[in-house]
Amino acid sequence: MSKENTTVYILLGLLRHEPMSGYDLKKRIDLSVSRFWDVGYGQIYPTLRTLEQQELVTKNSGERSGGPDKYVYSITEQGRDVLERWLRQPGDREYTKYEILVKLFFGSSMSPNENIARIQDFRARQSTEFNMMGRFKDSLEQVMAENPDHLHFYLTASFGEKIYRAYVEWADEAIALLERKGTAIDPPVQSEESAQNETPNEADC
Amino acid sequence: MSKENTTVYILLGLLRHEPMSGYDLKKRIDLSVSRFWDVGYGQIYPTLRTLEQQELVTKNSGERSGGPDKYVYSITEQGRDVLERWLRQPGDREYTKYEILVKLFFGSSMSPNENIARIQDFRARQSTEFNMMGRFKDSLEQVMAENPDHLHFYLTASFGEKIYRAYVEWADEAIALLERKGTAIDPPVQSEESAQNETPNEADC
DNA sequence: GAGCCCATGTAATCAGTTACATGATTAC
DNA sequence: GTAATCATGTAACTGATTACATGGGCTC
């Protein structure tokens, strides 16, 4: 995941909308892009410094009573140019790594029930995300009816919803396959976690 | 993506099946786990060295005529133990990063057509993968009828198929949304790439 | 003779994570 | 009093990518 530092453009993109502190940037990221590109404090502060050195952002001290100082960063014209150039540049890449699939792939020495438990864990995590994305998408849909400005946010939310649904659907199918295999050998052991919802929608709320 | 070196277990997992050289490992990875966890030469050779130092694998020179030496690595009992322990360990994680979504999220300054072109690029890539996974899954299904040993491979292939399908479906919906937005302002510009297939299945073969 | 496959590896660099350090304010 | 939130950052580390280097054999 080296080369072509995307973090830089995330910070520029958020600052183009509104000047912010490093802390604020992190909060914004957690509420928006983090699902498809997460950035931690350990990257934000050093990156802001190099952006300042390159004059793509300016650092201004913001008012604050007590505690450490607060610094507000604003994007410069140069920063906007750099961002625009990147946005127009083709050849996007995606990086996906799934530990669970590695374990499943090599999991022939595990019992079906062990593999099922692992998948159920995965399912639970993705189901939560799926529900969050769904609520998100719904509220954006309502907002968009009056104001189409949120379309780009909506597109990313619908991406999330689609992918998380696919995760959950796969998990259910995989569990069903392994359960068939399990009952063919073992007595039908019902683990207490296998109280599954028929549709992903009804899960945790 | 630091801590908990998954690469180690991929190499151990492949070597558990059969002794191999670093070069062979890379080829195997490209044909199997690379879609959900890729590993390059730059990681394979150094990792093999540390695995040897930890006595999780042994290095033996294999016969080869001409060219550089060939070394064949075999897993040790210790290596098997370490692998098994990892496989049973819960708490899997996934790492996903999508540059295209970052660009789309900040893409309000782009024209609808520019964003459509970007998504079409994404769609083309994922559609290829989807078709590959489909063929893969089909052939595994036939093999599994006689021999259920390939179930774990099948599960990962069906994961891939599900996810790539979701990508393609999302892309089609996103393009449709942006096209509506585009035609509302611009004259209906049909780019030469927008000869889309109705179903993802029929795409490139 | 060009180009691909076999086969090994190193070096440089970067991206990203985690843990640490500090300290005030606010809400329970 | 204790926990959470606000707010800044650094240091150590490691995972991962990319480019480089070497060289024989095989096929067109």
Side-chain angles (χ1 to χ4, degrees), chain A residues 26-135:
Chain A
K26 174 58 175 159
K27 276 191 301 178
R28 279 292 171 87
I29 287 166
D30 288 346
L31 289 170
S32 56
V33 292
S34 71
R35 255 141 220 110
F36 43 90
W37 203 294
D38 199 16
V39 185
Y41 284 122
Q43 276 177 281
I44 290 174
Y45 289 113
T47 303
L48 281 172
R49 206 179 51 198
T50 64
L51 283 177
E52 200 202 348
Q53 283 164 0
Q54 297 172 276
E55 295 180 16
L56 305 182
V57 303
T58 57
K59 182 183 189 176
N60 312 293
S61 54
E63 65 276 13
R64 184 159 184 257
S65 56
D69 292 341
K70 179 170 184 166
Y71 301 104
V72 176
Y73 293 85
S74 312
I75 193 168
T76 63
E77 274 310 303
Q78 258 190 79
R80 283 173 201 275
D81 288 351
V82 168
L83 175 60
E84 287 286 317
R85 247 199 309 279
W86 179 73
L87 286 172
R88 274 170 222 282
Q89 196 176 292
D92 303 325
R93 296 176 68 174
E94 46 275 347
Y95 308 91
T96 59
K97 306 231 165 186
Y98 300 92
E99 222 169 70
I100 189 182
L101 291 182
V102 177
K103 285 191 180 169
L104 263 186
F105 185 73
F106 294 121
S108 52
S109 59
M110 306 287 110
S111 74
N113 280 337
E114 283 177 298
N115 283 317
I116 287 170
R118 200 185 312 297
I119 298 173
Q120 269 163 349
D121 197 63
F122 175 81
R123 187 196 188 281
R125 256 180 301 136
Q126 306 305 337
S127 169
T128 318
E129 291 294 313
F130 173 76
N131 290 314
M132 260 182 58
M133 276 297 128
R135 285 195 294 275

Side-chain angles (χ1 to χ4, degrees), chain B residues 3-204:
Chain B
K3 278 285 153 63
E4 257 280 287
N5 191 331
T6 303
T7 300
V8 165
Y9 304 107
I10 291 176
L11 299 186
L12 288 176
L14 290 171
L15 291 177
R16 183 175 62 172
H17 181 250
E18 172 180 17
M20 265 181 281
S21 67
Y23 190 81
D24 293 333
L25 281 163
K26 175 59 176 159
K27 275 191 302 179
R28 279 291 171 89
I29 287 166
D30 288 345
L31 289 171
S32 56
V33 292
S34 72
R35 255 141 220 109
F36 44 90
W37 203 293
D38 200 16
V39 185
Y41 284 122
Q43 276 177 281
I44 290 174
Y45 288 114
T47 303
L48 282 172
R49 205 180 52 199
T50 64
L51 283 176
E52 199 201 350
Q53 283 163 2
Q54 296 172 276
E55 295 180 15
L56 305 183
V57 303
T58 57
K59 182 182 189 175
N60 311 292
S61 53
E63 64 275 14
R64 181 155 188 261
S65 56
D69 293 341
K70 178 169 186 167
Y71 301 104
V72 175
Y73 293 87
S74 311
I75 193 167
T76 64
E77 274 310 305
Q78 259 189 78
R80 282 173 201 274
D81 288 351
V82 168
L83 174 61
E84 288 286 318
R85 247 199 310 281
W86 180 75
L87 286 172
R88 274 170 222 281
Q89 197 177 293
D92 303 326
R93 295 176 70 174
E94 46 275 346
Y95 308 89
T96 59
K97 307 232 163 186
Y98 300 93
E99 222 168 68
I100 190 182
L101 290 183
V102 178
K103 285 191 180 169
L104 263 186
F105 185 73
F106 295 119
S108 51
S109 59
M110 305 288 110
S111 74
N113 281 338
E114 282 176 300
N115 283 316
I116 288 170
R118 199 183 315 297
I119 298 173
Q120 269 164 349
D121 197 63
F122 175 81
R123 188 197 188 278
R125 257 180 300 136
Q126 306 304 337
S127 171
T128 317
E129 291 294 314
F130 172 78
N131 289 314
M132 260 182 59
M133 276 296 129
R135 285 195 294 273
F136 223 66
K137 220 189 78 174
D138 289 349
S139 61
L140 280 168
E141 252 159 19
Q142 294 188 322
V143 175
M144 277 207 303
E146 299 142 21
N147 182 345
D149 282 357
H150 296 80
L151 175 63
H152 289 82
F153 205 166
Y154 176 81
L155 289 176
T156 62
S158 88
F159 182 94
E161 203 216 11
K162 270 241 152 51
I163 300 305
Y164 292 126
R165 169 183 281 126
Y167 287 155
V168 171
E169 281 178 7
W170 167 80
D172 287 339
E173 285 183 23
I175 289 168
L177 269 172
L178 286 166
E179 268 170 357
R180 258 197 283 163
K181 191 190 172 193
T183 50
I185 303 163
D186 305 336
V189 179
Q190 266 305 76
S191 87
E192 62 279 16
E193 288 129 316
S194 57
Q196 273 169 52
N197 316 76
E198 297 317 303
T199 57
N201 308 60
E202 313 304 338
D204 32 12

Side-chain angles (χ1 to χ4, degrees), chain A residues 131-144:
Chain A
N131 290 314
M132 260 182 58
M133 276 297 128
R135 285 195 294 275
F136 223 65
K137 220 189 78 173
D138 290 348
S139 61
L140 280 168
E141 252 159 18
Q142 294 187 321
V143 175
M144 277 208 303

